[in-house]
Amino acid sequence: MPVPRRSVDDRPAQHTEARAGKRANTLTPRDGSGNTGGSAHPDPSGPETTGPAMTAPARRVPLGLLLRLLVGLGLPALLAIRVGAGGVVEALGAITAPTVLAALALGAVTTVAGAARWCVVARGVGLDLSLRTATADAYRATLLNSLLPAGVLGDVHRAVRHHRPGDARGARAVVIERVAGQVVVVAVGVVVLVASPALLHALVGPGLGVVAGGLGVAVLVAGLWVRHARRAARVRVALASAGRDVREGLARVRTGPPVLLCSLVALGGLLALFVLAARVAGVGVSLGQLLPLVTVALLAMAVPLTVGGWGPREAAAAVAFAAVGLDAAQGLATAVVYGVLALIACLPGAVVLLADALGRPAGLPARPWSPSSARVGVRPTPAG
């Protein structure tokens, strides 16, 4: 006679109770300490808890961001306390509609010159980039650089936008173009400082030799490590690839002079904007005396401890004005007005950002960016 199979409901009750008790021990907390039913201690196999809900870890502010905010906001505040803020308030009140239009015009000259420089470099390394696309992206990058810490995040966004999978020339073209512009600014600033010993001494002091020597030793050690260390093999490969792009983008007859010309035009636009700010601030000295001062203030903006150049620019302007016998308060006011006018000059970048946002069909989410969506075309690099 066959034995009937027992259903699940016919199983012994103790087994069902044991399973239910096990589930209660592992899933159902008894009290706020995390203890579960049938046990006086937490289940060692499960996660430990210290209360009815886990506390989210506190988010820390990055030290670099905090330092940049302190430098960008603290230095102008300290200078305003030291030399007085009355001149700054009066200078800001003197900004008129013609001043705003002039700032926008100078910003257009500077931005288009930088975009043209980028086009020359991109074409030199074998990429096709239209001036229209480059200008729109340059406006966007300038606005982001002015609003975000470090002053280069807009250019980082530009490089990522034009990167292609397996081909880093698009990103490297952005880096080469950016570095080429900064090299021209630094070179002109160094020439101005060397030609003005009093200004150099006031800004740097007697420790210039120590600073220059330390930088030289650091560069030498880094070069030796890259050349000989085994761990630097990948760095050497990357530098070799970047070196080829630098030669094609900057060191050829078809690229070098146009890049230099565009860089000088862009620098001229920045200096003209600084001169405009000085006139708005009431500085009445001659242009020959003013240009070295604003060049030094512009050079200070290259310090990467800023938000939109604020902080070191105001300090350098105040010190430079005082070094030649002018009022330090006028230097502070000039730098602050320049910061406001520079922000106004890159406002067309907000229009580009808005156009990016409105360019998607209504009601659809933003399409995730992928490297294949970059808008830089590839063409063979010309020989020679």
Side-chain angles (χ1 to χ4, degrees):
M1 181 175 181
V3 180
R5 298 180 61 185
R6 292 186 299 177
S7 64
V8 174
D9 295 333
D10 294 333
R11 293 176 185 174
Q14 61 268 25
H15 293 298
T16 304
E17 293 174 358
R19 288 197 303 272
K22 184 176 181 181
R23 287 196 300 268
N25 288 339
T26 57
L27 298 178
T28 308
R30 173 186 293 178
D31 51 31
S33 63
N35 294 343
T36 55
S39 175
H41 302 285
D43 183 10
S45 64
E48 296 182 1
T49 59
T50 58
M54 294 293 292
T55 303
R59 299 183 63 180
R60 297 181 179 179
V61 179
L63 181 60
L65 175 59
L66 183 61
L67 181 60
R68 291 183 178 96
L69 290 176
L70 288 176
V71 172
L73 300 177
L75 276 179
L78 290 176
L79 289 169
I81 294 173
R82 177 71 177 175
V83 303
V88 174
V89 175
E90 293 179 2
L92 292 176
I95 298 177
T96 60
T99 304
V100 171
L101 293 177
L104 289 171
L106 291 174
V109 171
T110 303
T111 305
V112 172
R117 178 178 62 204
W118 182 20
C119 290
V120 172
V121 173
R123 292 165 186 170
V125 300
L127 305 175
D128 286 326
L129 179 64
S130 68
L131 182 61
R132 179 179 179 180
T133 299
T135 301
D137 286 358
Y139 261 122
R140 183 196 300 108
T142 304
L143 179 63
L144 295 177
N145 287 343
S146 301
L147 298 177
L148 299 178
V152 295
L153 295 182
D155 294 304
V156 172
H157 176 267
R158 185 161 53 112
V160 172
R161 230 178 126 79
H162 290 273
H163 175 72
R164 296 179 66 88
D167 186 0
R169 287 181 297 170
R172 283 201 293 261
V174 174
V175 176
I176 293 170
E177 179 269 326
R178 171 78 176 185
V179 172
Q182 291 298 318
V183 166
V184 172
V185 172
V186 172
V188 172
V190 169
V191 171
V192 169
L193 288 176
V194 172
S196 307
L199 193 59
L200 178 63
H201 180 78
L203 290 172
V204 182
L208 175 62
V210 177
V211 173
L215 289 176
V217 171
V219 171
L220 178 62
V221 171
L224 291 175
W225 179 80
V226 169
R227 184 176 181 83
H228 298 290
R230 284 184 181 177
R231 296 182 179 180
R234 297 179 63 181
V235 177
R236 288 194 290 270
V237 173
L239 288 177
S241 300
R244 287 192 295 270
D245 287 340
V246 169
R247 288 193 299 270
E248 294 296 332
L250 296 179
R252 303 297 185 187
V253 175
R254 68 180 184 276
T255 56
V259 166
L260 178 60
L261 178 61
C262 292
S263 299
L264 291 175
V265 171
L267 177 59
L270 296 175
L271 292 176
L273 187 62
F274 236 126
V275 171
L276 175 64
R279 298 310 187 204
V280 171
V283 180
V285 298
S286 65
L287 190 62
Q289 189 177 1
L290 183 61
L291 278 178
L293 305 180
V294 298
T295 302
V296 169
L298 192 63
L299 179 62
M301 293 177 60
V303 177
L305 295 177
T306 64
V307 178
W310 293 91
R313 177 184 60 221
E314 284 71 26
V319 172
F321 273 60
V324 296
L326 299 176
D327 189 1
Q330 283 188 323
L332 174 61
T334 298
V336 172
V337 172
Y338 173 85
V340 174
L341 295 182
L343 186 59
I344 293 173
C346 64
L347 282 182
V351 179
V352 177
L353 290 174
L354 182 61
D356 290 344
L358 298 179
R360 300 188 299 267
L364 293 180
R367 183 183 65 177
W369 181 89
S370 64
S372 61
S373 66
R375 293 181 294 169
V376 177
V378 181
R379 62 179 175 82
T381 304

